[in-house]
Amino acid sequence: MLDQLNTIEAEALAALAAAETTAALEAWRVAHLGRNAPLMAVLGDLGKLDKAARPAIGQRGNEVKRALEAAYAEHAEARRAAEMEAALRTGALDVTLPGRPRALGRLHPATQTLRQIYSIFADMGFQIYRSREVESDEYNFELLNMPPHHPARDMWDTFYTTTPNVILRTHTSPGQVHAMREFCPEPIRVILPGMCYRYEQITARSDIQFYQVEGLAVGRNVTFSDLKGTLSDFARRMFGQQVRTRFRADHFPFTEPSAEMDVECFVCDGRGCAVCKHSGWLEILGCGMVHPNVLRNGGYDPTVFSGFAFGMGPQRITMLQHRVEDIRYFFQNDLRFLEQF
Ligand code: PHE
């Protein structure tokens, strides 16, 4: 009997040493410590033994049982530690890797240019005056000296709503009259930024919606020199102190006299390049002295007051500065374009 127990112990311990996986270990536990294990059979049969032999066999049997249990526990713990070690090694987590970048928004290129323009004019004492995008025919045309059927209206074909005479503004100029009617008889120095709409074919150079920044100064003794000085100074602050400007005669129904302002091409310094179409000059805005009829429509007496106005396309400035080739990029929401600014 004692020999049998020694054999059971020796075999079990040998088998345990060979159990290399968790599954093998569990199988070993069932085979050697489970209900049908040889050791359990010996312990279960104790009652059949001679009374005299029982204590020695029983004691040895329990010793073997405790030895196997202890060996099992030790082995299982070693196995668990080894598996953890292996898992850590294969699923290695490199905490020095950079994290996933979080996409950060930024200002739209048109907004950046607009803000630059705002701050330049703010320094010169111009306030921002907001004016509506949905306008009446009266404000967009008539009060700007363009009666119905005036041929100049052809330059500003627009979107008409189903409500008669309610249109999308074609320029920010109607805001001039809104501002004058609000501030009259005080002097005015405002810029009017905002979206404008025109019904036209969409091309690389023209879209049906675009930003404008209008400017208006009204007061006593405001002269064309003030207009030239203000806009030349704006150009220097916007494009650099060296930039030269030139004014060319033009025509707008709501200004008299009227002009276009060009700035010396800041891409080639006036030498001529593809951006300025080899002219050395870039056209950036229309301007002029506020027409007496428009001053009158705003409530000002043109024999006492005078004023100047201008209108520029900030997207065109952005396009020139960053060599953006197609105005349609501005509103396509293509991140490949937007992320460059
Ligand atoms: N409103 C004109 C345009 O859209 C620009 C302009 C504004 C010209 C103010 C003169 C004075 O083309």
Side-chain angles (χ1 to χ4, degrees), residues 155-156 170-173 176 198 210 212 214-215 252 254-255 258-259 286-288 309-312:
M155 278 163 61
W156 292 286
T170 58
H171 47 183
T172 40
S173 301
Q176 289 185 31
R198 286 183 198 176
F210 55 94
Q212 272 197 343
E214 188 92 4
F252 297 101
F254 34 90
T255 47
S258 304
C287 58
F310 57 86
M312 67 177 86

Side-chain angles (χ1 to χ4, degrees), residues 38-326:
L39 175 63
M40 299 309 156
V42 173
L43 290 175
D45 284 350
L46 273 181
K48 296 179 192 159
L49 296 176
D50 288 352
K51 257 209 170 120
R54 255 184 245 166
I57 301 295
Q59 195 186 353
R60 178 69 188 130
N62 282 328
E63 252 172 47
V64 171
K65 187 165 178 245
R66 274 195 300 275
L68 293 188
E69 279 170 351
Y72 171 78
E74 192 184 315
H75 209 75
E77 173 56 28
R79 187 74 249 132
R80 207 188 51 75
E83 271 173 18
M84 165 98 82
E85 177 86 357
L88 283 177
R89 224 178 306 110
T90 53
L93 179 66
D94 184 354
V95 292
T96 65
L97 276 180
R100 279 188 206 120
R102 241 198 247 185
L104 267 191
R106 65 191 82 188
L107 292 178
H108 191 281
T111 306
Q112 293 182 29
T113 308
L114 279 172
R115 292 195 176 179
Q116 217 179 329
I117 295 170
Y118 298 164
S119 79
I120 292 172
F121 280 107
D123 287 345
M124 297 198 274
F126 285 77
Q127 283 184 293
I128 292 180
Y129 186 81
R130 300 270 172 197
S131 175
R132 60 178 76 147
E133 288 176 27
V134 180
E135 267 298 354
S136 61
D137 182 278
E138 189 189 13
Y139 273 91
N140 197 78
F141 294 118
E142 282 175 53
L143 295 170
L144 293 174
N145 214 22
M146 281 180 276
H149 311 299
H150 190 288
R153 286 183 175 218
D154 289 351
M155 278 163 61
W156 292 286
D157 198 1
T158 187
F159 295 94
Y160 288 79
T161 64
T162 46
T163 313
N165 295 323
V166 175
I167 61 173
L168 298 186
R169 67 175 175 192
T170 58
H171 47 183
T172 40
S173 301
Q176 289 185 31
V177 184
H178 287 293
M180 284 191 266
R181 289 187 170 179
E182 179 169 337
F183 295 122
C184 182
E186 299 295 319
I188 300 178
R189 231 187 301 173
V190 291
I191 54 169
L192 307 102
M195 194 65 84
C196 302
Y197 306 84
R198 286 183 198 176
Y199 179 67
E200 57 187 326
Q201 205 173 358
I202 300 174
T203 67
R205 287 175 63 86
S206 58
D207 202 343
I208 55 167
Q209 65 175 90
F210 55 94
Y211 286 109
Q212 272 197 343
V213 178
E214 188 92 4
L216 174 70
V218 177
R220 289 164 210 265
N221 307 315
V222 176
T223 67
F224 198 83
S225 302
D226 297 316
L227 164 64
K228 283 184 79 173
T230 304
L231 291 178
S232 305
D233 196 33
F234 163 76
R236 280 193 291 274
R237 292 178 192 222
M238 188 79 191
F239 305 111
Q241 286 302 313
Q242 300 77 333
V243 84
R244 295 196 303 154
T245 48
R246 76 175 180 188
F247 289 79
R248 286 179 292 113
D250 200 351
H251 171 263
F252 297 101
F254 34 90
T255 47
E256 182 60 34
S258 304
E260 291 269 355
M261 185 177 85
D262 296 342
V263 296
E264 194 175 47
C265 180
F266 41 75
V267 175
C268 63
D269 291 326
R271 265 173 264 124
C273 68
V275 175
C276 61
K277 300 209 191 70
H278 304 286
S279 69
W281 296 96
L282 301 167
E283 177 192 317
I284 63 160
L285 56 85
C287 58
M289 300 305 290
V290 181
H291 194 286
N293 289 350
V294 178
L295 280 174
R296 214 175 281 118
N297 289 337
Y300 290 85
D301 178 352
T303 62
V304 180
F305 287 90
S306 57
F308 66 79
F310 57 86
M312 67 177 86
Q315 282 163 270
R316 210 173 126 61
I317 294 175
T318 313
M319 288 174 79
L320 294 169
Q321 278 180 325
H322 299 289
R323 323 260 183 101
V324 177
E325 276 157 9
D326 195 319

